[in-house]
Amino acid sequence: MKFPQLLFLFLLPFAAVAQQVPKARPNQLARPATVAPAPALSLQQAIAEALQHNYGILLSRQDVQIAENNVTRGNAGQLPSLTGNLTRTFNNNNINQRFGEADPRIVNGASSNAFNTNVTLGWTIFDGLGMFIAYDRLKTLRQQQQQITRATVEETVETVTNAYYDVVRQAGKITSLEEALKIGQARIDLTQAQVDVGVSAKVEVLTARVDYNADRSLFLQQQQALAAAKITLNNLLGRTPRLDFEPSDSLTVTRDLREDVITAGIKANNPRLAQAKLGVDVATYDRRLIRASRFPQIGLVSGYGLTRNINNAAFAGTVLTTSTNSVQGLNYGVTASVPIFNGFNIRRQEQNARVVEEQSKLSLAQTDLQLDANAATAFAQYQNFLQLLDLEETNIQLARQNVDIALERYRLGLLTPLALREAQRNQLDAETRLLDIRYSAKQAETALRRLSGGLVQAQ
């Protein structure tokens, strides 16, 4: 018998196997028709919801409102104070008066009452310019709180962005596992067909089912990971944790970030650096306020009062009568106080203020250096992940081609089940690595945008 005839007889059973492969089964992983699809959620929508409902941002905005309310000339001591007072008292006494040898004057239950009301005005007109320094300090505190809130917004947007793309990543892994399950089911069907025609042992079907169940277990675990990622994002958005959604944006990485642009953005726009700079200004104002307390304080005082006393047990000679006294009028004047000696406390406070001012300058230098270090680290990671991303994007194409070839060879009986399983596992690992590296690269990109103060504008 010639070789072509032998080859035909050898391949004939496998051709029969290919003909006996059952039709595709219904997709057991698809959402039932009775379940409505989850609403789509874009990254911009997620950020917009976070800006409106994230509790960290809302609390920080309330701090800005408090700082805004504090910026008044009255709070700085530049405006006068006006106070109204009213007093009304009643007395009921027993009186016993003696004048020498004369008979005593005795009154039981003598009543009297007093009414006093006045309005006082106080206005500091000079305090060593402390009131003007205090007003500038309040405005600087407002600016500092605005930068703190801006930093909170930027950091929250970064967290929301990372959480959103984590959902995209976990959903991508779900898709990869679904493809793996489809390949596993095809392997089961092919192996069962081979058993049916007697060219394979039943143990091969059992092995294929064990591998399929292992992938199914990974699929169920991945579903839990996806649900947890969605709960985390919903929490950041201030929404119900179990609210379902489908991310509509894909996980793509920008490849044109430049380190010099990032560094320049940090110097010009980073809110944490701006907050540290304003901290130096606040410390300077605190020192100047203490120095202003060394100068005299001059103020104006004025008031208008009314006093009335009614005594029902007054004597006019020996006659018991009622007396009424009323006094009303305007008073005004000037007050001045000069600190002469208070135990060297002003000097001590001024020395401590200088130390705090120097600490704020050191904190500014530390913040500047730390931001540069964070940017250098993030940019190095960004570049490294871009290289890995190029490698894995090439590798995933090879892995997919390898699985297609392996599955076709297995269908023809030219490949062992172990080799098919290995190709399948290699593809799944490559898919997972690609998603993880793409996510890490996006994290580095987001961190760089946040450090340069342009994350919110970019989104």
Side-chain angles (χ1 to χ4, degrees):
M1 185 176 296
K2 296 182 180 180
F3 177 75
Q5 296 175 333
L6 291 174
L7 181 61
F8 174 77
L9 292 176
F10 176 76
L11 294 178
L12 183 61
F14 298 104
V17 169
Q19 294 175 358
Q20 295 183 21
V21 174
K23 295 182 179 179
R25 300 182 180 183
N27 186 6
Q28 299 178 358
L29 307 177
R31 183 190 295 265
T34 56
V35 179
L41 178 69
S42 68
L43 178 59
Q44 288 188 349
Q45 290 174 335
I47 292 175
E49 290 198 30
L51 293 177
Q52 293 182 359
H53 305 297
N54 181 271
Y55 287 104
I57 293 177
L58 294 178
L59 290 172
S60 187
R61 285 175 177 166
Q62 295 297 319
D63 291 335
V64 172
Q65 185 62 48
I66 293 174
E68 289 275 1
N69 296 338
N70 287 335
V71 184
T72 63
R73 296 191 179 276
N75 192 25
Q78 297 182 11
L79 300 181
S81 62
L82 187 65
T83 305
N85 303 292
L86 186 147
T87 305
R88 185 72 186 270
T89 59
F90 298 88
N91 299 300
N92 192 309
N93 302 312
N94 295 327
I95 300 175
N96 189 329
Q97 291 184 349
R98 293 178 179 273
F99 297 93
E101 299 297 329
D103 294 334
R105 299 172 180 177
I106 299 173
V107 178
N108 293 322
S111 63
S112 63
N113 64 80
F115 175 79
N116 181 32
T117 180
N118 61 77
V119 178
T120 60
L121 173 69
W123 190 0
T124 301
I125 59 175
F126 180 77
D127 63 349
L129 303 179
M131 63 182 73
F132 300 100
I133 298 172
Y135 187 68
D136 291 338
R137 179 180 180 273
L138 290 173
K139 291 191 293 184
T140 304
L141 286 173
R142 176 183 61 187
Q143 295 174 357
Q144 189 178 40
Q145 184 57 54
Q146 288 172 346
Q147 293 298 329
I148 292 174
T149 299
R150 182 184 163 204
T152 300
V153 170
E154 292 267 357
E155 291 161 4
T156 302
V157 169
E158 179 186 18
T159 304
V160 169
T161 301
N162 291 335
Y164 181 89
Y165 284 123
D166 186 41
V167 174
V168 176
R169 175 179 64 157
Q170 302 300 342
K173 292 182 179 181
I174 289 283
T175 303
S176 299
L177 286 168
E178 288 177 343
E179 293 298 324
L181 289 173
K182 291 177 182 179
I183 295 174
Q185 186 62 56
R187 175 187 166 192
I188 292 174
D189 295 339
L190 288 170
T191 307
Q192 183 62 53
Q194 292 175 357
V195 172
D196 293 341
V197 298
V199 297
S200 183
K202 186 177 180 179
V203 67
E204 299 294 344
V205 176
L206 298 178
T207 302
R209 292 188 180 278
V210 168
D211 292 338
Y212 179 86
N213 289 336
D215 291 342
R216 180 69 177 174
S217 176
L218 292 175
F219 177 78
L220 295 176
Q221 296 176 41
Q222 187 57 40
Q223 282 185 321
Q224 176 58 36
L226 176 60
K230 289 184 176 181
I231 290 173
T232 299
L233 181 57
N234 283 330
N235 183 49
L236 291 171
L237 304 186
R239 308 197 306 180
T240 304
R242 288 293 182 181
L243 183 63
D244 196 15
F245 62 91
E246 293 296 334
S248 59
D249 290 346
S250 59
L251 185 52
T252 57
V253 181
T254 303
R255 296 174 176 265
D256 58 354
L257 296 184
R258 292 167 45 194
E259 189 171 10
D260 59 335
V261 175
I262 297 298
T263 302
I266 290 175
K267 305 301 181 185
N269 301 318
N270 186 275
R272 292 299 181 189
L273 186 61
Q275 174 192 346
K277 290 178 181 178
L278 291 169
V280 176
D281 296 338
V282 171
T284 301
Y285 286 132
D286 288 338
R287 177 181 57 80
R288 292 175 59 190
L289 276 173
I290 295 173
R291 186 176 62 181
S293 65
R294 292 182 177 274
F295 292 87
Q297 292 193 4
I298 301 174
L300 301 177
V301 294
S302 181
Y304 186 90
L306 169 64
T307 301
R308 184 180 65 188
N309 294 313
I310 300 176
N311 186 357
N312 293 323
F315 287 93
T318 60
V319 179
L320 182 66
T321 185
T322 298
S323 67
T324 301
N325 296 323
S326 296
V327 177
Q328 62 180 343
L330 175 69
N331 62 79
Y332 53 88
V334 178
T335 64
S337 63
V338 181
I340 298 175
F341 180 76
N342 67 344
F344 303 108
N345 282 324
I346 294 180
R347 184 176 69 178
R348 173 184 57 80
Q349 293 170 0
E350 195 168 2
Q351 289 173 344
N352 290 340
R354 288 195 183 96
V355 174
V356 172
E357 186 178 14
E358 185 63 28
Q359 285 180 329
S360 64
K361 293 178 181 178
L362 293 174
S363 178
L364 172 60
Q366 182 186 31
T367 302
D368 191 11
L369 181 61
Q370 186 62 52
L371 289 172
D372 287 342
N374 292 343
T377 301
F379 195 80
Q381 292 176 341
Y382 171 73
Q383 289 183 314
N384 182 60
F385 285 129
L386 286 183
Q387 295 178 358
L388 291 173
L389 190 57
D390 291 336
L391 177 62
E392 291 300 332
E393 285 177 347
T394 302
N395 190 49
I396 192 62
Q397 300 298 329
L398 299 176
R400 290 170 180 170
Q401 292 178 12
N402 187 39
V403 168
D404 291 340
I405 295 172
L407 187 60
E408 185 62 27
R409 286 173 58 83
Y410 183 77
R411 182 178 289 110
L412 296 175
L414 302 177
L415 194 70
T416 63
L418 182 60
L420 176 60
R421 178 63 177 174
E422 184 66 21
Q424 181 186 4
R425 294 301 304 172
N426 287 339
Q427 179 187 355
L428 187 59
D429 292 342
E431 297 273 6
T432 301
R433 285 197 309 272
L434 178 60
L435 289 169
D436 289 341
I437 291 174
R438 188 174 289 162
Y439 175 71
S440 298
K442 192 64 180 180
Q443 279 185 307
E445 175 198 334
T446 305
L448 289 172
R449 293 190 185 278
R450 191 260 306 166
L451 288 170
S452 62
L455 181 59
V456 175
Q457 292 87 338
Q459 298 297 352

